[in-house]
Amino acid sequence: MEKSSITVQRHILEQERKHQQATGDLTGLLWDLTLAAKVVSREVNRAGLADIFGATGEENESGDLVKRLDSIAQDTIYRAMDHGGHLCLMVSEESPDLIPIPAKYPKGKYLLLYDPLDGSSNIEANVSIGTIFSVHRRITGSGDGTLEDCLRKGSEQVAAGYFLYGSSTMIVYTTGQGVYGFTLDPSIGEFMLSHDRIVTPPQGKYYSINEGNAAGWDEPTRNYVQHLKQKDKATGRPYSLRYIGSLVADIHRTLVYGGIFLYPSDTSDPANPKPKLRLLYEVAPMSFLMEQAGGAAITGTQRVLDVQATSLHHKVPIVLGSKQDVATYERFCTESGTVPAGKKK
Ligand code: AHM
Ligand code: MG
């Protein structure tokens, strides 16, 4: 069958069929999620016309101003996912606590952790934004899911991915058998296979970091970024800076072109390093994708997928991308002899 005629639904189904014990539940869950993302994509596309830009006036758990589109995305995803019988609970960036499945609906064996609209500081400027998701199998037996089901390691994810609302709308996902990308064909309303088995180049030519935070970087990060600005031996050129400030867009570029993305802790107070990005629904799913595409993802001191979450909105530093680029960063950490960001003394 031609690549251009493979829908994401068919792809998910065929991936699940490779598992003998598959019940179709994961397929059903991901189908519901793609429907929700089509609705979010429509709202994002018509936001300027429909006057739904702007803030709600509320703050989320991390103290970010909640934009109206954040809240539309949150409601849309919740409503698409609450009744399918696949989930036992949800966790969202926009909710401080666990989101239970309503009592009237059956409970399933999975939990969904998501960032409904990531990069929302970019909304009014028509810059790419996205939805990030992570799926875990529950570890408690039945009924409502619990906090114990959520506080997990990224290595236990059964699926992860993102929807990118950019010049086109895409889904990029993994169930642990490689990374695949599909582009929404608006004329038929289907996500069609466009990026068959994404493999990140072993070394890239872009680095991506918020340079405005340089005063708070630890020594290895400062030295590493300085190193990238020198001529590379292989290319004879320094690395180029690319930073959008939308995690989904920055990671999508890194997956496809290679290179490195860093969001280190703010170490202005060395005794109290402050990471920004959230483990369960931002950093862990992106790290799962990056490893599945042949890249690497570390906190500076350990593999991201080995980090045990200790709270719903647990934050960690992140360095991810092409394998060789991440290895070079690691070398700077080792050579600096300092304790890198995020490492407890
Ligand atoms: P958000 O989920 O509230 O949008 O925040 C997360 C965003 C990421 O998309 C992006 O990588 C990062 O925050 C940008 O942060 P900064 O503006 O500090 O560079
Ligand atoms: Mg986010």
Side-chain angles (χ1 to χ4, degrees), residues 235-254:
T235 64
R237 299 191 46 182
Y239 276 55
S240 293
L241 172 64
R242 295 281 188 278
Y243 188 74
I244 299 169
S246 269
L247 188 65
V248 173
D250 280 318
I251 298 301
H252 186 65
R253 182 198 55 252
T254 308

Side-chain angles (χ1 to χ4, degrees), residues 191-231:
F191 285 100
M192 309 304 299
L193 182 62
S194 53
H195 295 61
D196 196 2
R197 191 108 206 190
I198 298 174
V199 177
T200 300
Q203 187 178 2
K205 54 183 183 176
Y206 299 126
Y207 75 103
S208 189
I209 187 168
N210 184 340
E211 291 256 5
N213 295 334
W217 293 346
D218 58 6
E219 189 189 318
T221 305
R222 277 202 311 274
N223 292 343
Y224 174 70
V225 171
Q226 196 48 41
H227 163 80
L228 296 178
K229 294 177 182 178
Q230 315 304 311
K231 277 187 189 166

Side-chain angles (χ1 to χ4, degrees), residues 74-118:
Q74 166 61 21
D75 290 352
T76 303
I77 296 171
Y78 172 70
R79 283 206 219 97
M81 304 306 300
D82 70 346
H83 58 278
H86 311 298
L87 297 177
C88 60
L89 65 77
M90 292 184 249
V91 171
S92 162
E93 180 185 311
E94 298 304 339
S95 173
D97 303 314
L98 300 175
I99 308 174
I101 302 300
K104 60 184 171 184
Y105 297 130
K107 312 295 180 294
K109 59 175 181 255
Y110 293 108
L111 47 145
L112 175 69
L113 306 103
Y114 62 102
D115 181 351
L117 206 58
D118 182 76

Side-chain angles (χ1 to χ4, degrees), residues 64 93 115 118-120 210 243 245-247 261 263 276-278 282:
D64 307 324
E93 180 185 311
D115 181 351
D118 182 76
S120 47
N210 184 340
Y243 188 74
S246 269
L247 188 65
F261 173 89
Y263 210 113
K276 167 164 183 176
L277 296 177
R278 278 92 10 153
E282 291 179 326

Side-chain angles (χ1 to χ4, degrees), residues 26 79 100 123 141 165 172 207 231 237 242 279 297 316:
L26 183 62
R79 283 206 219 97
I123 289 175
Y165 312 114
V172 173
Y207 75 103
K231 277 187 189 166
R237 299 191 46 182
R242 295 281 188 278
L279 177 62
V316 288

Side-chain angles (χ1 to χ4, degrees), residues 10-328:
R10 175 176 168 184
H11 199 267
I12 293 169
L13 188 61
E14 287 181 1
Q15 294 265 309
E16 194 173 8
R17 278 190 187 137
K18 290 179 185 161
H19 295 278
Q20 278 185 340
Q21 268 91 44
T23 57
D25 253 335
L26 183 62
T27 301
L29 187 171
L30 293 174
W31 285 15
D32 290 348
L33 197 57
T34 57
L35 175 64
K38 285 182 205 172
V39 176
V40 175
S41 173
R42 185 195 64 201
E43 296 301 317
V44 168
N45 283 329
R46 67 188 194 99
L49 299 171
D51 194 24
I52 46 180
F53 281 151
T56 59
E58 290 164 24
E59 283 187 358
N60 69 13
E61 191 57 15
S62 302
D64 307 324
L65 211 56
V66 178
K67 303 268 177 147
R68 268 181 237 159
L69 268 179
D70 278 319
S71 129
I72 290 172
Q74 166 61 21
D75 290 352
T76 303
I77 296 171
Y78 172 70
R79 283 206 219 97
M81 304 306 300
D82 70 346
H83 58 278
H86 311 298
L87 297 177
C88 60
L89 65 77
M90 292 184 249
V91 171
S92 162
E93 180 185 311
E94 298 304 339
S95 173
D97 303 314
L98 300 175
I99 308 174
I101 302 300
K104 60 184 171 184
Y105 297 130
K107 312 295 180 294
K109 59 175 181 255
Y110 293 108
L111 47 145
L112 175 69
L113 306 103
Y114 62 102
D115 181 351
L117 206 58
D118 182 76
S120 47
S121 68
N122 285 307
I123 289 175
E124 277 90 350
N126 207 2
V127 170
S128 300
I129 48 182
T131 296
I132 310 171
F133 62 91
S134 164
V135 179
H136 279 270
R137 194 173 285 111
R138 68 183 304 165
I139 47 181
T140 54
S142 57
D144 289 325
T146 67
L147 185 62
E148 191 192 347
D149 289 309
C150 304
L151 301 184
R152 310 282 287 279
K153 289 184 180 174
S155 56
E156 298 171 77
Q157 291 170 100
V158 295
Y162 55 79
F163 295 90
L164 171 65
Y165 312 114
S167 51
S168 56
T169 295
M170 287 191 71
I171 171 176
V172 173
Y173 89 103
T174 185
T175 53
Q177 301 166 85
V179 179
Y180 298 88
F182 300 77
T183 301
L184 182 64
D185 179 342
S187 65
I188 54 170
E190 293 285 358
F191 285 100
M192 309 304 299
L193 182 62
S194 53
H195 295 61
D196 196 2
R197 191 108 206 190
I198 298 174
V199 177
T200 300
Q203 187 178 2
K205 54 183 183 176
Y206 299 126
Y207 75 103
S208 189
I209 187 168
N210 184 340
E211 291 256 5
N213 295 334
W217 293 346
D218 58 6
E219 189 189 318
T221 305
R222 277 202 311 274
N223 292 343
Y224 174 70
V225 171
Q226 196 48 41
H227 163 80
L228 296 178
K229 294 177 182 178
Q230 315 304 311
K231 277 187 189 166
D232 182 67
K233 279 190 196 126
T235 64
R237 299 191 46 182
Y239 276 55
S240 293
L241 172 64
R242 295 281 188 278
Y243 188 74
I244 299 169
S246 269
L247 188 65
V248 173
D250 280 318
I251 298 301
H252 186 65
R253 182 198 55 252
T254 308
L255 264 180
V256 173
Y257 292 162
I260 191 160
F261 173 89
L262 308 96
Y263 210 113
S265 295
D266 176 357
T267 53
S268 310
D269 173 5
N272 183 23
K274 288 199 178 84
K276 167 164 183 176
L277 296 177
R278 278 92 10 153
L279 177 62
L280 286 174
Y281 44 79
E282 291 179 326
V283 174
M286 293 310 195
S287 300
F288 188 21
L289 286 166
M290 192 54 75
E291 284 201 2
Q292 283 293 315
I298 60 171
T299 62
T301 57
Q302 69 177 130
R303 178 183 177 229
V304 168
L305 296 185
D306 289 337
V307 179
Q308 169 72 50
T310 54
S311 65
L312 285 185
H313 302 282
H314 182 158
K315 297 175 179 179
V316 288
I318 180 170
V319 175
L320 98 185
S322 294
K323 233 179 190 158
Q324 285 175 27
D325 291 312
V326 174
T328 305

